[in-house]
Amino acid sequence: MGDINITNATSATENQHFQYDHALDVMSHPQNGSKCFDDDGRLKRTGTIWTASAHIITAVIGSGVLSLAWAITQLGWIVGPVVMLLFAIVIFYTSCLLADCYRTGDNVTGKRNYTYMDVVSASLGGSKVNLCGIIQYINLFGVAIGYTIAASISMVAVKRSNCFHASHNNNPCRTSSTPYMIIFGVSEIIFSQIPDFDQISWISTVAAIMSFTYSGIGMGLGIAKVAENGKFKGSVSGISIGTVTRAQKIWRSLQALGNIAFSYSYSIILIEIQDTLKSPPSEAKTMKKASLISVSTTTIFYMLCGCMGYAAFGDMAPGNLLTGFGFYNPYWLIDIANAAIVIHLVGAYQVYCQPLFSFIEKWAATKWPKSDFINKNFQVPIPGCCPYNLNLFRLVWRTIFVVLTTIISMLLPFFNDVVGILGAFAFWPLSVYFPVEMYTSHKKIPKWSTKWIFLQILSAACFLISIGAAVGSVVGVVTDLNVYRPFKSNY
């Protein structure tokens, strides 16, 4: 790999001073460096509507799609699809509100806000900034746990699928997910060393392709199962009393709302994605188009996967469509689908965690500006490539983060319950409340005007949905903990 070149080391603070000085130079002499730098002195952003769409699809079509057949099973043929469509409309609408807040003031020349918290600070300020930061970064931490669980379940499914095939379904093939969580964690330690969000567009592209791959396979297997059955299973009211108790019906219906909310959530990284876009046209205009393309595409996939899964299995729809073994054959196709899930989640983990990584590293650099451990980069030569800037703080802290999320995943590997809690926890505050409040402040919408009343009603309704979903999901975790044995073969 070569020796570390200490003489060429640079610090993050020195780089920030250069960008600041260059920004002043660009403002004073617009012709200087305008082809290489944006209006804030940073290197020219190169993101397009397609890269933004890839980032969103990577974030949205994640492990949540696999729980949608189970969610529709709880809600039924009418309520299930209607709820899914309403979530899509709400998420798209509030994403457009949030996109308009990227720049303070004018959408073309206003001051940029680089992160979700920057937007909150510019629009609302005060204690709401701290509240938002706590909610956003706890949720990102939770998403890392959820994706670790989902990836390990898919890896276990590959092993069990091959075991079932070899034994002709005569062996229960019980397998622990713990070793696979460790494998996933090791891979994330490596990928987490990619320094910045704008350097992972290739990961998002690969992950988006994988999303369509396993969603398409799940949908295709559902269609084939329906054709084999010769009818559509399921009912208008969802899973019947008798298959579950009345109390279970209520809690699981509420949990289903959390699962659907989780499958659509991407507002927490919207601003970071928007900050990668080039202009003109304005970043807000491009982001709205990317949101429309992405949400429309994912909703079609969600409807087809969720509905075909319910039609295929009815009340017996598994919690995870491709790992619950409603499908056993063709085993090689199921293996491909689960491998695609794992590849996708490797990328999605980074899409969600890079903003958290960046926040901690910027905070540390500000707190200890003279620390070489935190700020100094060492150029590591890589044959055939540009040198890699190794930062010791980044190496240590990101590794600790991945290890911690992996350990927690080992202790609480409950896919549907964790997905429901994450969806409930993040949906209202980050996808609805803050976007509504920031847009209201940004556009100076008069209090008690028609639009203000509509936005407040929307926020209140989504708050009640989040509370219900959280209660249902917590009940699910408590129930599962009664029978779960940590670090044992629970699959």
Side-chain angles (χ1 to χ4, degrees):
M1 194 166 186
D3 297 328
I4 295 176
N5 186 359
I6 298 179
T7 58
N8 290 329
T10 59
S11 71
T13 52
E14 288 172 351
N15 190 42
Q16 290 171 358
H17 287 314
F18 165 75
Q19 290 185 345
Y20 176 74
D21 292 339
H22 186 85
L24 294 178
D25 183 60
V26 169
M27 286 186 284
S28 302
H29 306 283
Q31 71 278 11
N32 292 342
S34 60
K35 292 182 179 180
C36 298
F37 294 88
D38 272 326
D39 54 0
D40 58 348
R42 292 192 175 186
L43 289 173
K44 272 284 186 183
R45 293 160 174 83
T46 58
T48 65
I49 186 173
W50 303 114
T51 60
S53 297
H55 282 314
I56 296 171
I57 290 172
T58 298
V60 177
I61 302 186
S63 54
V65 68
L66 304 174
S67 68
L68 292 179
W70 181 90
I72 292 181
T73 300
Q74 314 313 312
L75 301 173
W77 273 120
I78 294 179
V79 176
V82 168
V83 166
M84 199 179 297
L85 185 60
L86 288 175
F87 269 102
I89 293 171
V90 169
I91 288 294
F92 171 67
Y93 180 69
T94 57
S95 294
C96 290
L97 300 183
L98 186 55
D100 275 332
C101 300
Y102 169 65
R103 287 181 182 265
T104 301
D106 185 80
N107 275 348
V108 177
T109 60
K111 177 183 174 293
R112 297 174 185 266
N113 296 295
Y114 304 119
T115 67
Y116 193 107
M117 279 188 66
D118 286 345
V119 177
V120 177
S121 179
S123 301
L124 303 177
S127 59
K128 290 185 178 180
V129 178
N130 295 329
L131 176 62
C132 171
I134 292 170
I135 295 173
Q136 182 185 11
Y137 295 123
I138 287 177
N139 186 68
L140 291 174
F141 184 79
V143 168
I145 294 170
Y147 281 179
T148 302
I149 294 170
S152 69
I153 291 175
S154 289
M155 287 187 272
V156 167
V158 172
K159 182 176 178 63
R160 294 186 70 199
S161 174
N162 293 333
C163 176
F164 286 142
H165 178 72
S167 66
H168 303 288
N169 296 342
N170 293 322
N171 186 334
C173 300
R174 300 193 70 82
T175 305
S176 172
S177 62
T178 299
Y180 299 98
M181 289 186 183
I182 294 173
I183 292 171
F184 184 79
V186 170
S187 71
E188 290 304 338
I189 287 174
I190 296 171
F191 280 105
S192 67
Q193 296 310 309
I194 297 174
D196 302 310
F197 192 87
D198 59 359
Q199 295 178 23
I200 62 171
S201 59
W202 65 273
I203 292 180
S204 287
T205 301
V206 172
I209 293 171
M210 294 298 103
S211 299
F212 287 118
T213 299
Y214 68 74
S215 298
I217 291 174
M219 179 178 63
L221 290 172
I223 293 172
K225 187 72 173 179
V226 170
E228 179 185 324
N229 295 337
K231 63 176 182 180
F232 279 67
K233 293 186 177 182
S235 65
V236 171
S237 59
I239 194 168
S240 56
I241 305 297
T243 304
V244 295
T245 65
R246 189 175 299 276
Q248 285 176 322
K249 170 76 172 177
I250 294 172
W251 300 131
R252 291 171 73 164
S253 295
L254 291 174
Q255 184 181 335
L257 297 179
N259 285 17
I260 294 173
F262 175 80
S263 67
Y264 275 109
S265 296
Y266 70 96
S267 298
I268 54 176
I269 57 171
L270 183 144
I271 296 298
E272 283 82 354
I273 294 174
Q274 191 167 344
D275 191 46
T276 67
L277 298 176
K278 64 182 180 181
S279 61
S282 72
E283 298 86 359
K285 186 174 182 179
T286 302
M287 197 66 201
K288 289 176 184 179
K289 289 181 179 179
S291 294
L292 179 60
I293 291 171
S294 305
V295 173
S296 299
T297 302
T298 53
T299 300
I300 292 171
F301 264 80
Y302 284 178
M303 286 288 189
L304 290 172
C305 288
C307 291
M308 294 313 300
Y310 184 39
F313 299 108
D315 287 357
M316 296 297 106
N320 186 313
L321 188 60
L322 289 171
T323 64
F325 289 98
F327 303 117
Y328 289 91
N329 288 300
Y331 79 98
W332 56 268
L333 188 59
I334 295 172
D335 287 353
I336 291 174
N338 280 297
I341 292 171
V342 174
I343 295 171
H344 167 260
L345 292 177
V346 168
Y349 188 107
Q350 291 303 314
V351 169
Y352 271 99
C353 290
Q354 283 288 339
L356 175 56
F357 293 159
S358 177
F359 169 75
I360 294 296
E361 285 152 21
K362 287 178 181 177
W363 172 81
T366 303
K367 185 78 172 175
W368 298 284
K370 296 182 180 180
S371 171
D372 287 347
F373 173 71
I374 292 173
N375 296 301
K376 185 169 286 187
N377 294 326
F378 302 94
Q379 288 193 345
V380 181
I382 300 177
C385 300
C386 295
Y388 175 74
N389 287 326
L390 174 66
N391 179 280
L392 295 179
F393 176 70
R394 181 174 67 226
L395 175 65
V396 173
W397 121 255
R398 294 190 184 190
T399 299
I400 292 173
F401 174 88
V402 175
V403 170
L404 184 59
T405 58
T406 303
I407 292 173
I408 295 175
S409 300
M410 293 176 187
L411 297 173
L412 295 170
F414 311 131
F415 178 72
N416 288 86
D417 300 332
V418 170
V419 164
I421 289 174
L422 290 173
F425 181 75
F427 173 66
W428 176 70
L430 298 178
S431 296
V432 181
Y433 172 74
F434 280 112
V436 164
E437 292 299 305
M438 290 187 292
Y439 180 81
T440 301
S441 173
H442 185 73
K443 295 295 184 181
K444 297 180 173 57
I445 297 175
K447 199 171 185 178
W448 304 114
S449 65
T450 302
K451 189 163 189 178
W452 184 89
I453 293 173
F454 166 75
L455 291 173
Q456 298 308 310
I457 291 174
L458 173 65
S459 182
C462 291
F463 173 72
L464 294 176
I465 291 172
S466 285
I467 292 296
V471 171
S473 299
V474 169
V475 170
V477 168
V478 172
T479 302
D480 287 342
L481 281 173
N482 290 331
V483 296
Y484 175 67
R485 297 175 300 163
F487 308 111
K488 300 293 183 181
S489 300
N490 291 281
Y491 295 98

